[in-house]
Every structure is written in structure tokens, then in C-alpha cells.
Amino acid sequence: MPKAIGMVEFTSVARGIYAADQMVKAADVEIVTAGSTCPGKYIAIVHGDVASVYDSVRTGERAAEEYLVDSIVIPNVNPQVFPAITGTTMPDRIQALGIIESFAQATMIIAADAVLKAAELQPLELRLGNGLGGKSFFIFTGDVAAVQAGVEAGKAAVKDNGLLVNVEVIPSPSDVLVASLL
């Protein structure tokens, strides 16, 4: 199982595709996802062992040149972050819901990792920029106390850089709402 995740965000789709190619050639990493996001940006997210992810992200940063927006590396990332990014999560059951919304994509991955490490929680969706004008959100579930602890951890991870939009806790979500989220 991969121990680290890294992301590079670009202002140019063409340069992003080029840099993603360089990233996977430079180190033993796999692409979690790579593609265009709103508003006209490109992200490349890779995973692997910590050293390889650092090497890959540094390569992406160098290849980005003036098209670099942001980059992150999270060593020892919570393994539930990966299925949340790719939209392949299916929690055992829905209890309370927590939602964190940010203006930044990379910051939201950091927040999601912090949330999942804070308490016994399961991710529903980690949306990065698509259809959101560049914003991102993370939805997760667990008991009310765990969701509240996760929201606080996620808020702390996001608010230091001033990119937090909003957080919400829904103690007993409607079955109609839950069906629309899954």
C-alpha cells in the first residue's frame, strides 16, 4: 500500500500533461488521478513510497516552470484518501455527515487526511475542482462526535492559509439527501 501522496497543480493543461509524464518517468510512482479541473487548470496526483513521491513532485514542480500553482506531499497519508479522490468509496452506513469546503485543491487533500486521522470516519467524496470553479469539498461520515472531531481537524488544516469556505455537520441526514450523495 502506498505510504505517500503528492500533487502538483498547473495553470496550463498542456504543461500539466507534459509534467505528469515527467513525474511518472522520474520516480517509481503511480498516478491516482490526473486531469483538467476548473477553472482551466490541470492536476497530477501520484502515490508511492515517500522518497519516490517527493522525487516525482519535485520533478513536476521543475517541469511546471511558470505554470505551477501549488504542490504538496503527504507522507504516511491515510489510505482512505485514495478511494475518496477517485470516487470509489462506499461507507458501511451513513451516520452523521461532515462537509468541509475550501478554495484550494491541494489544501483539501491535506484537510481530508487530517479528518480521517482525527477519528473513526469513512469518506464519501473528495471533489477537487471539477464543476466547482476551482473550489474543493470533502464529505465524510461517522458518529456525531467523530464527525465533529473530523470537522475541527479539517478546519485547522485549512484555515491557516485563509482558504476555508465553510464547514457543516449534519447529525441525522435525511435518507433522501444520502441517496443523492451516493
Side-chain angles (χ1 to χ4, degrees):
M1 185 56 133
K3 300 281 188 204
I5 189 170
M7 175 180 157
V8 183
E9 183 178 355
F10 309 87
T11 58
S12 164
V13 173
R15 182 54 60 101
I17 293 169
Y18 168 78
D21 178 63
Q22 297 302 302
M23 290 169 67
V24 296
K25 288 177 177 174
D28 186 20
V29 296
E30 293 182 17
I31 292 178
V32 175
T33 188
S36 60
T37 66
C38 293
K41 295 181 182 177
Y42 190 89
I43 59 171
I45 301 175
V46 297
H47 67 92
D49 68 72
V50 175
S52 295
V53 169
Y54 272 112
D55 289 345
S56 178
V57 168
R58 277 193 291 262
T59 298
E61 291 167 342
R62 283 191 302 274
E65 296 177 351
E66 71 270 18
Y67 302 104
L68 179 66
V69 174
D70 198 4
S71 66
I72 61 163
V73 173
I74 304 174
N76 300 314
V77 66
N78 185 297
Q80 292 185 89
V81 169
F82 300 110
I85 290 171
T86 58
T88 57
T89 63
M90 185 51 68
D92 300 331
R93 65 187 177 118
I94 303 293
Q95 298 174 63
L97 290 177
I99 307 107
I100 299 176
E101 183 180 9
S102 170
F103 285 113
Q105 297 177 51
T107 300
M108 189 50 60
I109 295 174
I110 293 168
D113 182 57
V115 164
L116 294 171
K117 288 177 177 173
E120 186 68 32
L121 295 162
Q122 291 185 294
L124 264 66
E125 181 178 8
L126 177 53
R127 172 93 49 99
L128 300 173
N130 288 329
L132 300 169
K135 293 192 318 184
S136 296
F137 66 82
F138 181 48
I139 304 172
F140 51 96
T141 189
D143 67 45
V144 175
V147 167
Q148 190 60 48
V151 162
E152 292 304 316
K155 229 167 49 170
V158 174
K159 81 177 199 179
D160 285 344
N161 61 14
L163 297 172
L164 180 67
V165 175
N166 192 18
V167 300
E168 297 291 342
V169 174
I170 304 173
S172 297
S174 156
D175 290 340
V176 175
L177 173 68
V178 169
S180 76
L181 295 174
L182 298 177

